[in-house]
Amino acid sequence: MAQINPSILSADFARLAEEAKAVEGADWLHVDVMDNHFVPNLTLGVPIVEALSKATDTPLDCHLMIEDADRWAPSYVEAGAGSVTFHAEAAAAPVRLAREIRAKGARASMALKPATPIEPYEDLLPELDMLLIMTVEPGFGGQAFLDIMLPKIRRTRELISKHGLELWLQVDGGVSAATIERCAEAGADVFVAGSAVYGAADPAAAVRDLRGLADVATAAAPWACDH
Ligand code: DX5
Ligand code: ZN
């Protein structure tokens, strides 16, 4: 079944505990950490992740848009994140970092900005629990989905099948009722949605609707035939 991860970047930061409760039933809560260096925006860090992990039962999917990921990512596992995503462009030693995240007890994930190809990372995929393909330039919520990323999603799904990996394939940026089916058809199985969930009158219903659309599109997708 498709996993839907609401992004709290589009939530009310003054009411994070309530905003987390508003999407109970979501698979993970997506937490965007930005340092104003890797991306031109500043959001939150370890103390807020720690507080949020105590305030909700939904596991936290931390997306680190920060420089020097090697140094900081392990702290997010200690803060309570169940999954930690670092950017390939910001990690000096991605294999060592993924192993460290796993050893500390979280799922290890790596993200690719739109201009970063998947092919150089083919041999690293077994070290990861999830691969995140950005479908906008990271930094802000509410941007338009980049259709030009669909071929990369397809190629990544092919690599996952070729190597028989249990790797989740996440998409993040501009995912909505209008775009989620294209992502699922191309091979994504974990969907981050910020404005499409928190901009809706009923965020929990938006999560269910997105999951429904993704499940139907996945069932019809060639890549999922043998699932
Ligand atoms: C963007 C963040 C996304 C953002 C998505 O850099 O990584 O997680 O919250 O927001 P929407 O779904 O509105 O594009
Ligand atoms: Zn994100």
Side-chain angles (χ1 to χ4, degrees):
M1 200 163 74
Q3 300 192 67
I4 308 294
N5 300 8
S7 168
I8 57 161
L9 187 60
S10 297
D12 180 351
F13 272 22
R15 301 169 42 250
L16 281 183
E18 287 163 63
E19 295 282 67
K21 285 203 172 57
V23 294
E24 268 170 6
D27 297 277
W28 298 76
L29 205 57
H30 186 82
V31 180
D32 287 309
V33 177
M34 303 185 188
D35 67 352
N36 207 26
H37 291 276
F38 184 72
V39 288
N41 197 2
L42 185 66
T43 55
L44 51 85
V46 168
I48 293 188
V49 169
E50 204 170 349
L52 194 56
S53 77
K54 290 177 187 145
T56 180
D57 293 332
T58 308
L60 303 185
D61 161 34
C62 282
H63 175 194
L64 307 183
M65 286 160 277
I66 60 173
E67 285 181 359
D68 204 359
D70 306 69
R71 176 175 173 195
W72 297 110
S75 316
Y76 288 86
V77 185
E78 287 158 19
S83 174
V84 175
T85 300
F86 58 85
H87 265 265
E89 305 86 356
V95 173
R96 187 172 62 209
L97 181 54
R99 289 184 180 183
E100 195 177 345
I101 291 168
R102 279 177 161 178
K104 283 184 172 291
R107 294 177 60 88
S109 164
M110 189 175 75
L112 306 178
K113 289 170 73 175
T116 305
I118 181 63
E119 284 74 14
Y121 298 101
E122 177 173 354
D123 294 337
L124 269 62
L125 296 181
E127 300 287 337
L128 301 169
D129 297 299
M130 185 168 78
L131 195 285
L132 164 53
I133 293 182
M134 291 303 301
T135 42
V136 296
E137 289 290 354
F140 302 94
Q143 301 182 74
F145 179 80
L146 292 174
D147 271 290
I148 53 169
M149 290 297 104
L150 290 169
K152 183 155 79 177
I153 299 169
R154 279 201 188 89
R155 294 198 305 274
T156 305
R157 175 52 64 187
E158 281 165 17
L159 292 177
I160 293 169
S161 303
K162 175 178 152 193
H163 294 288
L165 301 171
E166 290 289 323
L167 182 72
W168 294 352
L169 181 49
Q170 185 179 60
V171 283
D172 181 11
V175 176
S176 69
T179 57
I180 195 167
E181 292 161 299
R182 275 174 260 168
C183 297
E185 191 276 330
D189 55 7
V190 184
F191 306 85
V192 176
S195 45
V197 169
Y198 281 107
D202 183 345
V207 169
R208 288 193 296 273
D209 292 349
L210 288 170
R211 194 185 279 127
L213 288 169
D215 281 340
V216 171
T218 302
W223 68 266
C225 279
D226 45 353
H227 280 219

